[in-house]
Amino acid sequence: MAKYNNIVILTGAGISAESGLATFRDEEGMWNKHRVEDVATIQAFARNPEYVHDFYNEMKKDLIKVEPNAAHLAITELQKNYPAKISVVTQNVDTLHEKAGNENIYHIHGQINQAVCMNCGNVLTTWNDVTTEDVCQQCHVQGMFKPNIVFFGENLLCMNEVDALLRSCDLFVSIGTSGVVFPANTFVRTAKYYNADTIEFNLKATANNYAFDRHVIGKAGETFPKFVEELLQETKAVADI
Ligand code: OAD
């Protein structure tokens, strides 16, 4: 008998920090080095698609090389050994959850190794560069691919599925997100409204601090695997009674 039947794990850039990736809003963060208005809005892409493609093509070259860390691997451990439905809702465009062998992953902010044709919606998965020269294999129109990254002002991906998960989960876990970007920062309140237990793993208190039942301060690569171990031991102890 497990305590939880339906677990949702929301992740942000902090879970990938120990894999060597920069977060967005910390001191060395991405948004302290680049302007959102130049690379992460649909207006920026319309103004200068070559520049925006170059930016994400470069990011892709870095992200293909990184490896998952102990926190990503602990999710796999939990999914393999804990008898519940366990979903991963990530704001991260890296593919470290996939590399770690996680399952049931929802990339609400898109993913770096994809581009979407703005003409027909065809999604291309590739680690190669994507440029304005590319022709869509589905509608045969050139220059309509956009990185499949959700820019500021765009709708998030797979939100119907995620909303249903939030309403039905009994444990909501947040790992390494600052809780300032809408709508992911509202997920904890939805889960709480539907009576889930809520727990946050972060280096420090976040903007969403008040909404969580429990906070675990520290590096996710250290704190989250311990939590997984506790959950698995609790379940084993109940099974042994
Ligand atoms: P942020 O950079 O806003 O926040 C990262 C969080 O991770 C901070 O709260 C840190 O304290 C925490 N953190 C850093 N290292 C950690 C570690 N080793 N263990 C635990 N926590 C750690 O990143 P996000 O919240 O993910 O959107 O940002 C949300 C969105 O804003 C991103 O998905 C991105 C950005 O604009 C898109 O790219 C579409």
Side-chain angles (χ1 to χ4, degrees):
M1 285 283 287
K3 183 172 178 189
Y4 299 110
N5 294 313
N6 194 343
I7 302 177
V8 171
I9 302 174
L10 171 70
T11 63
I15 195 174
S16 299
E18 288 156 71
S19 293
L21 295 181
T23 58
F24 291 91
R25 294 173 185 81
D26 296 310
E27 207 175 316
E28 290 297 305
M30 176 91 76
W31 297 150
N32 284 328
K33 296 191 175 148
H34 302 274
R35 284 172 13 115
V36 167
E37 297 82 357
D38 292 337
V39 294
T41 66
I42 200 71
Q43 290 83 357
F45 187 62
R47 220 169 30 240
N48 196 342
E50 287 83 3
Y51 181 81
V52 175
H53 273 307
D54 283 352
F55 178 80
Y56 290 100
N57 286 333
E58 284 310 306
M59 189 187 283
K60 212 185 270 188
K61 290 185 180 78
D62 292 334
L63 293 187
I64 196 171
K65 291 185 273 192
V66 288
E67 293 297 332
N69 63 56
H72 299 99
L73 296 169
I75 296 177
T76 308
E77 176 77 5
L78 190 66
Q79 287 184 320
K80 283 202 173 136
N81 298 302
Y82 193 84
K85 174 176 175 183
I86 303 171
S87 312
V88 180
V89 177
T90 187
Q91 298 167 90
N92 299 341
V93 302
D94 66 51
T95 54
L96 292 178
H97 288 298
E98 283 84 352
K99 284 185 183 169
N102 298 175
E103 291 178 350
N104 305 331
I105 307 163
Y106 297 85
H107 275 278
I108 56 175
H109 286 175
Q111 55 191 89
I112 191 70
N113 61 337
Q114 289 184 343
V116 58
C117 173
M118 294 182 292
N119 190 49
C120 72
N122 179 29
V123 174
L124 173 72
T125 299
T126 177
W127 285 100
N128 295 330
D129 285 359
V130 175
T131 73
T132 52
E133 304 290 307
D134 289 321
V135 175
C136 175
Q137 293 301 300
Q138 183 168 282
C139 66
H140 309 293
V141 176
Q142 184 191 342
M144 293 301 280
F145 276 118
K146 163 194 170 292
N148 199 17
I149 307 284
V150 173
F151 291 146
F152 281 87
E154 290 192 298
N155 289 330
L156 267 67
L157 306 176
C158 27
M159 273 309 292
N160 289 343
E161 294 97 317
V162 169
D163 194 48
L165 288 172
L166 294 172
R167 286 161 188 259
S168 57
C169 69
D170 47 13
L171 174 65
F172 177 84
V173 179
S174 171
I175 309 176
T177 175
S178 55
V180 297
V181 174
F182 179 85
N185 62 351
T186 66
F187 291 175
V188 58
R189 276 172 277 154
T190 305
K192 194 78 223 149
Y193 182 81
Y194 288 93
N195 294 318
D197 288 345
T198 56
I199 177 164
E200 174 173 62
F201 294 83
N202 202 296
L203 284 182
K204 56 190 178 200
T206 66
N208 251 346
N209 211 33
Y210 68 95
F212 287 90
D213 301 324
R214 195 174 149 200
H215 307 273
V216 183
I217 301 288
K219 290 183 174 180
E222 293 167 8
T223 56
F224 186 68
K226 272 196 200 133
F227 173 73
V228 166
E229 209 176 294
E230 280 165 25
L231 267 186
L232 293 176
Q233 274 180 4
E234 254 174 48
T235 313
K236 189 172 173 302
V238 173
D240 289 346
I241 290 171

